[in-house]
Structure formats: C-alpha cells, structure tokens
Amino acid sequence: MNAILGIESSCDDTSAAVIIDGVLRSNVIAGQKVHEAYGGVVPELASRAHQQNILPVVSEAIRQAGITKEQLTAIAYTRGPGLMGSLLVGTSFAKGLALGLGIPLIDVNHLQAHALAHFVKESEEDEVPEFPYMCLLVSGGNSQIILVESPEKMQIIGRTIDDAAGEAFDKCAKVMGLPYPGGPHIDRLAAEGDPNAFKFSKPHIPGLDYSFSGLKTSFLYTLRDALRQDSDFIERRKADLAASLQHTIIEILLDKLTLAVEQHHPRHIAIGGGVSANSGVRKAVADFCEVRGIRAWIPKRSFTTDNAAMVAIAGAMRLTPDYRGDLSLPAYARTEI
Ligand code: KG4
C-alpha cells in the first residue's frame, strides 16, 4: 500500500489529506473565522490557529482514510510560498512526523499544487489532464497563466503586476461593506444583477500580464461619486454593482487567456485557486474552451481553495522508489513556480 499524507498551512486554512494508491481517501480542512472581524488575514492569528488545528486535522484525515499513522508511506507538505508563521507550523509538523515514522518527506510548492489539483482522483475512473496544459491560477495572492509541462516543469507566461483577481473581489467587496472574504458574496449577489449596469476601467498593459489595481480604483470612484447623490446607492444597486464587477474581472482574465491561447495553442486548459470557485469564471472558461475545441478542467469547488489533497497529489507525482527528501529544507514565504 502507498499512503501519502498531505499537509497544507500556507495561509488561513489548516488542511490534511490522505491519498492511498492514487485515490483520495480524506481531505480535512479547518478554516479560520477569526480573521473576518479584521477584513483580511492577520498573520499572527493565522499561525496560532494553525498551531491549535494541526494535530486534530491530521489525526482526523488519517482516521477518515481508515488507516493508522504507522501505515503512512510518505508525507508531502507545503513548503511555500505563503505566510511564514503559518508555513512553519505545517513544515515543522510534517518534518517531526516524517522523522518519527522514518518515512520520506516531500516538499511541495503551493502554486504547483494548485496547478496539479486536477490530478486528485476521488475514484479509480476519474480522468486527469494531459501534459502539457495551460493553467489559469487565480487566487487571493496570485493571478497567473502557467504552462504546465510536467509535475515539476512549469513556466509562468503571465502574472499580475499589482493586485491578484481575488484581491480585486475582496477589496471592492469591502468598499461595499461586505464581509471578508468578499469574493463569494460578490458571486452570490452577481447572480441577481445586471453585468452591464456599470462600466469599470480595464487595464491596457501589453503582453500576458494582468493588472487589477485600476479596476479597484475605478470601482471606488464610481461608488464615491454615486454616494454623494444618493446615500442609499450601494444598498439599492448592490446586485448590479457585484454583477458588473464580476463581469469586468472575467473580461480581464479572458482577454489575456485569449492572447495566451493564440500564442501557445494548448489542447487542455485548467483553472485553479480560490477565484476558480466563482460561478461566472467557471462558466466563462468552460464556454471559452468549448467554442475553441479545447478541453476545460474546472475543479470541484472543494479543490479550488487551499486544500491538502492537491499537496498530497503533487507530492505523490514526485515520489520515486529511491526518493528520500530533505529534512533540512526551510520554509519559504516567496517564490515563483
Ligand atoms: O486560493 P485561495 O483560497 O487562497 C489565497 O490565495 O488567499 O483564494 C482565496 C480567494 C479570496 O480572494 C476569495 O475571495 C476568492 O478566493 N474566492 C472567490 C470565490 N470563492 C473564493 N472569489 C470569487 N468568487 C467566489 N465564489
């Protein structure tokens, strides 16, 4: 039996998952409500919550997988990028457990794990993408177009030069008085609104890079000007504001994806990261691919946000019979793919 434990603690979700002989057996995620009151993740509070959650979450993942920790054959953990205090909790725990059990430890790049999330199989029959494929990785910290050539060979061909798509959702939602994280609230409200009610500015930067800071400013100014005339403006028009904002973010994402497809001609396109849970983004990418005869990989919502299943599979794809791992590797807060 090949049983791989994945551990993820890069931001504000503590997660552990077990993959046995290539099939996911458990994926436990403990979120952190504590940050809601602050309108964003507070790093020190995140580390403390990870410290509290890590043991119960790992124990529960092993229990749900129907094995004991002694039956684990390897441990994969997120080494970075992320919040250093948060990463240290998962990294230290993974190292201690691997050392105690005498099994290999596999360091995983969190961004690569998002791009490989489509390889998580919940049953033997599940299909997986073909290499090479293109991945649109859109989260709270990243907006990237990646060429995924193999589990370890990835090339970022477009990236954000300022805010990430998730930040655009969250910051605009905050201006509307919605709770953090605002992305899911915008998604819900957008379903009731008119996507063409308002026009917000789109970036004009060359190449495949993204920019979302201009959109954020344009959204802010629209609200500020309208509120001068009508103090009830946001409440009255919140669905239209959400729908128009979401529509603009999707247009920005797809404009660059179109350019990337014209340059690289992928046969498969995958999406990943928290923003890939957005109903509008999912539908737009599926439609975009369908008209071009490209196979679209839209992840289940449970694999869009941070989760250990993707870390376990990224580790599993690197595990060879002679793999030993390196217990001395430090966590890293910043890196590329
Ligand atoms: O990948 P992720 O869990 O972690 C970070 O990179 O932080 O992504 C979190 C981001 C947040 O910005 C959140 O608002 C956004 O994903 N998000 C959504 C939706 N669900 C999560 N954005 C738009 N629509 C959603 N349904």
Side-chain angles (χ1 to χ4, degrees), residues 89-268:
V89 177
T91 303
S92 313
F93 193 93
K95 286 181 179 179
L97 190 56
L99 189 63
L101 295 172
I103 56 177
L105 180 70
I106 315 161
D107 59 292
V108 169
N109 176 311
H110 180 79
L111 302 175
Q112 289 194 352
H114 268 303
L116 296 171
H118 301 269
F119 287 88
V120 174
K121 285 186 169 187
E122 292 182 280
S123 77
E124 300 276 0
E125 293 74 42
D126 282 0
E127 291 184 81
V128 296
E130 265 173 29
F131 292 110
Y133 60 95
M134 188 174 278
C135 179
L136 177 65
L137 179 54
V138 273
S139 69
N142 293 282
S143 295
Q144 300 177 335
I145 303 177
I146 305 166
L147 286 182
V148 186
E149 289 167 41
S150 74
E152 287 187 83
K153 192 156 178 252
M154 302 189 193
Q155 192 194 344
I156 301 172
I157 54 171
R159 55 172 64 69
T160 180
I161 57 165
D162 42 53
D163 288 348
E167 279 177 285
F169 271 111
D170 295 343
K171 288 178 179 171
C172 293
K174 193 172 179 180
V175 177
M176 287 175 66
L178 296 169
Y180 176 84
H185 296 282
I186 298 285
D187 193 354
R188 182 178 42 79
L189 285 169
E192 316 279 308
D194 173 4
N196 297 307
F198 299 97
K199 284 268 165 284
F200 303 119
S201 72
K202 296 203 297 174
H204 298 283
I205 51 167
L208 299 177
D209 285 343
Y210 285 115
S211 165
F212 289 97
S213 65
L215 165 63
K216 186 183 64 189
T217 310
S218 145
F219 188 82
L220 185 69
Y221 286 176
T222 303
L223 261 60
R224 187 197 58 185
D225 295 347
L227 283 168
R228 284 200 186 118
Q229 317 290 324
D230 171 8
S231 60
D232 213 21
F233 174 75
I234 297 179
E235 189 49 35
R236 274 195 317 102
R237 305 295 304 273
K238 61 185 180 201
D240 288 342
L241 284 166
S244 303
L245 172 68
Q246 182 169 302
H247 179 69
T248 313
I249 293 175
I250 292 170
E251 276 189 344
I252 296 173
L253 291 173
L254 290 200
D255 282 352
K256 294 299 168 111
L257 193 62
T258 307
L259 209 56
V261 166
E262 282 165 12
Q263 291 176 8
H264 296 275
H265 314 288
R267 295 201 303 125
H268 291 212

Side-chain angles (χ1 to χ4, degrees), residues 6-11 13-16 50 78 110 306-308 310-311:
I7 295 179
E8 157 65 33
S9 74
S10 64
C11 190
D13 291 305
T14 319
S15 180
H50 282 305
T78 301
H110 180 79
D306 293 345
N307 67 86
M310 67 182 193
V311 177

